[in-house]
Amino acid sequence: MTGSSLTQVSAAWVPLAAVLLLAVAAAGAAFDGAVAARAEGRPWQHGAGVPVAETARLLRQRRRRTVAADRPLELVGTGGLVVVALLMVVVVPLGRWTLGDLPVGIVWFNAMDVVVWALVWLAGWGPNSAHALVGGYRFLAQALAYELPLMFAITAPAVAAGSLAVGDVVAAQEGLWFAVWMPVAFLVFCGAVLAFSVRAPFSAPAGTDLAGGVLADSSGIDRWLLLAGRWALMAAGSAFAVAVFLGGGHGPLLPAWLWSLVKTAALLAALVWVRRRLPTVRPDRLLPFGWVVVLPLVLLQLLVVAVVVVGRG
């Protein structure tokens, strides 16, 4: 099977893809608000409406300005996260349709993740504020901890499928999802999704001990773009995980595109639920754990996958 089994749609579908990504991200934010409301003993309906209320508040709020801010770089950092999330889903199939049937789709996603490094750091650098800058550097330290495990985690499905094309990886899971026999790679990738979207337990760059870190001096539409970008990254990461680990659109009864959406929503909800039950990890403690514990485990997983592939040879 090859990536050519997918149907590449025209660029005219990009706005619809953007709307769909933001809709999934908004659903994740609404579910997060509902979970928070239930935890506080309030009706879940009160929390589910938080994203809409917060959007209305921020769009009315006047932008604040810090002294000697590097405004162009700040704008790149705040507005770039939503753009990168959309670029991530370019290679993610929705059933049999995709915006970009790239032969190196796995590498493309990893490259977009690396761009997130620069954008979060610029969001911290641009305001010329101590809290935001420390938050940006915290993210760089955190990224050093998760990036190598993430890279090897998404290499495992590529090795099993014998291709870097996301369509090939999806096709190779027709009989068995990769998450079933690559659980370490799947769990590491899910952790990396929380990390590059700056969500707990990897939310130290936006921690309350830094008055919000990279979010400390953002307001109005700038703050909305940062918050929306974090949720969009989380949704994009969930969609990619569905494609490379959870069989993409494979499933009974429902059409393939609907299976892709259902699985993405379910995984996003699971990540939201998990993030609310884990304490924040300090970046200085995350780095040794990531390199000494997680990285060897992922490499061992990759070795097992390679042995299985050679054995099937």
Side-chain angles (χ1 to χ4, degrees):
M1 298 182 186
T2 64
S4 59
S5 61
L6 296 176
T7 301
Q8 183 168 324
V9 299
S10 69
W13 290 91
V14 170
L16 180 60
V19 170
L20 186 59
L21 175 65
L22 291 177
V24 174
F31 179 70
D32 183 60
V35 172
R38 290 295 297 164
E40 296 168 2
R42 297 182 291 119
W44 66 268
Q45 297 91 331
H46 293 180
V50 167
V52 175
E54 187 69 0
T55 295
R57 183 185 73 84
L58 290 175
L59 292 181
R60 294 194 310 268
Q61 188 181 65
R62 185 176 179 180
R63 283 172 165 170
R64 295 192 301 268
R65 293 287 186 272
T66 51
V67 178
D70 193 329
R71 189 60 181 160
L73 295 185
E74 185 180 6
L75 288 174
V76 171
T78 55
L81 294 180
V82 174
V83 176
V84 167
L86 180 58
L87 290 173
M88 283 179 172
V89 298
V90 161
V91 296
V92 178
L94 182 63
R96 63 182 181 86
W97 299 299
T98 182
L99 289 172
D101 189 13
L102 302 182
V104 289
I106 299 287
V107 179
W108 172 267
F109 181 88
N110 192 222
M112 292 303 101
D113 165 56
V114 173
V115 174
V116 174
W117 289 37
L119 294 176
V120 176
W121 186 80
L122 287 176
W125 171 272
N128 190 34
S129 161
H131 289 134
L133 184 60
V134 173
Y137 277 114
R138 275 187 179 181
F139 183 78
L140 292 183
Q142 179 170 287
L144 287 173
Y146 79 76
E147 185 58 37
L148 273 180
L150 165 64
M151 183 179 69
F152 286 113
I154 60 177
T155 299
V159 169
S163 173
L164 290 170
V166 179
D168 289 345
V169 176
V170 173
Q173 300 175 75
E174 189 169 0
L176 182 67
W177 295 356
F178 285 160
V180 175
W181 62 287
M182 303 178 193
V184 174
F186 174 63
L187 292 176
V188 168
F189 180 80
C190 289
V193 171
L194 291 173
F196 67 61
S197 56
V198 200
R199 294 294 176 183
F202 311 111
S203 57
T208 54
D209 60 322
L210 283 178
V214 292
L215 299 171
D217 298 285
S218 60
S219 58
I221 186 64
D222 294 336
R223 189 176 185 87
W224 184 88
L225 285 171
L226 281 173
L227 296 176
R230 292 167 70 195
W231 279 111
L233 286 171
M234 200 168 172
S238 299
F240 190 79
V242 166
V244 298
F245 288 107
L246 298 178
H250 291 306
L253 302 179
L254 300 179
W257 65 268
L258 187 53
W259 267 120
S260 295
L261 287 178
V262 168
K263 291 177 185 179
T264 298
L267 180 57
L268 180 59
L271 292 178
V272 168
W273 184 85
V274 167
R275 85 173 189 86
R276 285 199 159 272
R277 282 154 178 77
L278 296 175
T280 300
V281 180
R282 287 169 38 183
D284 60 315
R285 294 183 177 177
L286 180 62
L287 190 58
F289 180 74
W291 283 42
V292 176
V293 178
V294 179
L295 183 57
L297 287 175
V298 177
L299 289 173
L300 181 61
Q301 174 78 95
L302 184 57
L303 176 62
V304 171
V305 172
V307 170
V308 170
V309 170
V310 171
R312 288 175 174 176

